[in-house]
Amino acid sequence: MRKVAEVMVALLIGILSSINAETDPTDASLLNILYTSLNSAPQLTKWSSNGGDPCGELWTGITCSGSRVTGINISGLGLSGNMGYQLDRLTAVTTFDISNNSLGNQIPFQLPPNVQRLNLAGNGFIAGLPYSISQMTSLKYLNVSHNQIQGEVTVSFNSLTALSTLDFSFNSMTGNLPQSFQSLASMTNTYLQNNQFTGTIDVLANLPLENLNIENNQFSGWIPEQLKSINLQLNGNLFNSGPAPPAPPGGPSARQPQRNPQSGGSSASLTSGSIGSGGSKSGIGPGAIAGIVISVLVIGAIAAFFIIKRRSRKSSTDVEKLDSLPFAPLDSQEVQGVKSVQTSSTTSETPAVINLIPPPIDHHKSFDDTDVSTMPVLPPKKTNTPPINAKFFSVADLQIATDSFCVENLIGEGSIGRVYRAHLDDGKVLAVKKINSSLLSKTEDFLNIVSEISRLHHPNVTELVGYCSEHGQNLLVYEFHKNGSLHEYLHEVDENSKPLIWNNRVQIALGAAKALEYLHEVCSPSVIHKNLKSANILLNMELNPHLSDCGLASVIQEPDQASGYIAPEVAMSGQYTIKSDVYSFGVIMLELLSGRKPFDSSRPRPEQSLVRWAAPQLHDIDALSNMVDPALNGLYPVKSLSRFADIIALCVQPEPEFRPPISEVVQALVRLVQRANMSKRTFRNEGVGRGGSSDAETP
Ligand SMILES: *[C@@H]1O[C@H](CO)[C@@H](O)[C@H](O)[C@H]1NC(C)=O
Ligand SMILES: *[C@@H]1O[C@H](CO)[C@@H](O)[C@H](O)[C@H]1NC(C)=O
Ligand SMILES: *[C@@H]1O[C@H](CO)[C@@H](O)[C@H](O)[C@H]1NC(C)=O
């Protein structure tokens, strides 16, 4: 009886405490995940991996407002592990400080979306900044200093107008400063020291900066005049010490200052005269009079200069007007990400594209106020044809090259259209995709699509060579990959074909994942593929994968539910996202592992859908060895196989929010390849095969 009463009391307390829990259950569960990802570190006192009440129980570093978690400050606690991959659901968090710990690898794509203070400094982060930062419009303080972040900054700063402090110092960042820095209208403190940045610092010229440290980089060119009056630290760069470039900011030569450093004597007097900041504060004397005379002359010269400039601007072409707009008409970040955006190779009608890089904005010196107000807000004459960086082919050209689209040259057929092999006169072989005309309502739509595709450049994305839009025909011309598609490799096997060995399979998965990472996280806006399947992964002679049909999402109408690649939420709602791409990618990995088709009606019913059959067994080593492609003949490292299966399991989860971003898949595959290389010797000796239960990596 007493026992029962005790149990009742305990239950009651339990119920009461859970009723009284102050914390929003979603926030609490996300902190549970974070705790687990941080290896359940004991320094995180009160934290739990399951349930609990972070706000009510005063978990270390957690601050709340009402029931929502608004702040996470777990700085300097000696934490290791990672940040997990669901922080983007912590929508009320405004402060996130995980600085001065030992977290490694990649900064996750998912970060609290409404964060104002984000401090990731002093960890071991390596890979680049996640593109998701571009969308954090509330961000005021961003600190990633003292990591080992490499590569160019591919984040777009166009929307980060609240950002006032940015600290990138002590990393290994390279490349030029992104043009989108120009949009940082609130930026007062910028720390870029001790990186390997190159190019000029012109994009910073017109920001409301107070403190700027750019020491120990490889910046070159001239220091913009506007920055000479702020607290500027610039030692250890390659700046030009000669006289400043002749024209004022906004003029054509400010953009390319290296061109002719010393043209025009008037510019020399401009810098050496009394205009230079902090110059002559001397009292009145004979020298001062001479100074005043010189000043008058100099001011006169400046006035004359601007009057002339104004005249010449009035008579300038539309192109120049477009060029002198404060903000570029195209998202300059896209230019960053897709480097080789160029003008059309076929026409000279779209010269506006040449000047994709906008000139610096000049808030301080608005000599030209009147001109600004009369400037058009949009490009005055927008040509109908979007910029296309691809060759134009005529229907006649392609008819000849494909033997009038004869059946012998037909190499594929999908929902979008047929693909033909084309032999050009110069001996080149190309693949021509004829888009079903029912999928396109207007020629303009097609040209827009071509324009989009022509901007995609990645070693694992099939390169668009040209296009044709004539007589109601719309065709895309691509590079040709002799080895056909992964689909053919896996599923159209005959006695002559060589099966893919395990390492090839991992490499193909990695290359394809990198292509997808480029589309999702480098391109801006993100490109959703929508049609990932093994038939769209083309292999070259070295079996390097090339993802095809990128940028064709808009012509895909109905999800092909029977294909086996479609994520469950797409089947239900028709809504494609980057996470539905990740699902389809997981299915491709499953194909690589099992050698089976995603949907195979020739198999017994429970095995027809590959995901449904395989997903429940992915964590079971014994089941895995039965699932693996028999064509491998048992030749695979067991550990590699099981890690590969773990990645698949994450990708094909039914809930899209639990699937990792593709960049994490890339990282996981990179680690898998690295480990495979490290343990190659051991693995030769003992670790091969389904019989080999020995772990190739444990010493
Ligand atoms: C986090 O805590 C540390 C030390 O407790 C402090 O120095 C730092 O300013 C805090 N960060 C934020 C964003 O409040
Ligand atoms: C970083 O954390 C360590 C303890 O882990 C502490 O001793 C050190 O002072 C911290 N440094 C900074 C800059 O916060
Ligand atoms: C960024 O974080 C580092 C390490 O915690 C710190 O030393 C530095 O002062 C911070 N930068 C700014 C601008 O607050």
Side-chain angles (χ1 to χ4, degrees), residues 378-579:
L378 282 170
K381 196 185 117 226
K382 198 165 191 255
T383 45
N384 309 339
T385 330
I388 292 173
N389 183 22
K391 189 170 157 28
F392 179 84
F393 288 87
S394 69
V395 169
D397 290 341
L398 296 179
Q399 224 151 13
I400 295 167
T402 59
D403 234 340
S404 298
F405 299 99
C406 73
V407 182
E408 282 72 46
N409 282 324
L410 182 65
I411 50 179
E413 176 160 24
S415 54
I416 298 173
R418 294 182 169 175
V419 185
Y420 296 86
R421 193 187 303 108
H423 297 267
L424 300 190
D425 283 343
D426 60 6
K428 263 200 205 111
V429 184
L430 297 169
V432 175
K433 193 176 205 98
K434 219 172 163 188
I435 310 290
N436 287 341
S437 48
S438 61
L439 300 173
L440 294 159
S441 42
K442 283 186 288 233
T443 309
E444 257 169 63
D445 292 348
F446 179 69
L447 293 180
N448 282 322
I449 291 169
V450 175
S451 168
E452 293 291 307
I453 303 173
S454 74
R455 299 184 338 191
L456 303 175
H457 302 284
H458 184 275
N460 297 111
V461 169
T462 306
E463 189 84 11
L464 184 75
V465 176
Y467 69 103
C468 164
S469 183
E470 261 190 349
H471 313 302
Q473 300 283 346
N474 295 303
L475 304 108
L476 295 168
V477 183
Y478 288 100
E479 56 179 347
F480 178 77
H481 293 294
K482 215 170 173 184
N483 258 337
S485 72
L486 177 62
H487 181 92
E488 291 163 37
Y489 246 87
L490 289 174
H491 310 305
E492 291 170 22
V493 191
D494 58 33
E495 54 279 8
N496 299 327
S497 46
K498 271 191 269 167
L500 291 169
I501 64 165
W502 178 250
N503 282 351
N504 291 152
R505 296 181 195 228
V506 175
Q507 288 293 353
I508 289 168
L510 176 58
K514 284 180 174 169
L516 204 52
E517 178 184 42
Y518 168 75
L519 297 179
H520 287 179
E521 299 183 22
V522 176
C523 290
S524 161
S526 292
V527 175
I528 301 173
H529 189 285
K530 277 199 189 176
N531 197 16
L532 284 173
K533 52 184 181 184
S534 56
N536 278 335
I537 295 178
L538 308 179
L539 303 174
N540 70 0
M541 290 309 282
E542 289 80 42
L543 298 176
N544 285 323
H546 293 78
L547 187 56
S548 73
D549 281 13
C550 300
L552 280 173
S554 60
V555 297
I556 291 166
Q557 314 248 292
E558 296 283 300
D560 179 8
Q561 306 213 8
S563 70
Y565 289 103
I566 301 298
E569 75 275 9
V570 175
M572 274 157 57
S573 70
Q575 281 291 315
Y576 289 91
T577 61
I578 56 174
K579 291 301 183 71

Side-chain angles (χ1 to χ4, degrees), residues 222-226 228 240-249 261-280 294 298-299 301-302 365:
W222 280 269
I223 298 142
E225 205 59 35
Q226 298 95 313
K228 290 185 175 166
N240 197 316
S241 55
Q262 293 194 328
S263 76
S266 68
S267 67
S269 67
L270 220 157
T271 41
S272 61
S274 58
I275 304 291
S277 64
S280 53
I294 292 173
V298 167
I299 289 167
I302 295 172
K365 302 186 183 175

Side-chain angles (χ1 to χ4, degrees), residues 178-183 200-207 222 224-227 245 247-257 309 313 323-328 356-365 372 375:
Q179 284 296 320
S180 55
F181 263 21
Q182 293 187 125
S183 311
T200 72
I201 55 169
D202 290 353
V203 289
L204 302 173
N206 297 298
L207 306 183
W222 280 269
E225 205 59 35
Q226 298 95 313
L227 298 178
S253 55
R255 228 172 301 127
Q256 293 160 324
K309 185 163 184 278
R313 179 172 300 180
D323 187 30
S324 52
L325 282 172
F327 292 94
L356 279 173
I357 299 170
I361 326 159
D362 192 341
H363 297 308
H364 302 293
K365 302 186 183 175
V372 171
M375 262 195 278

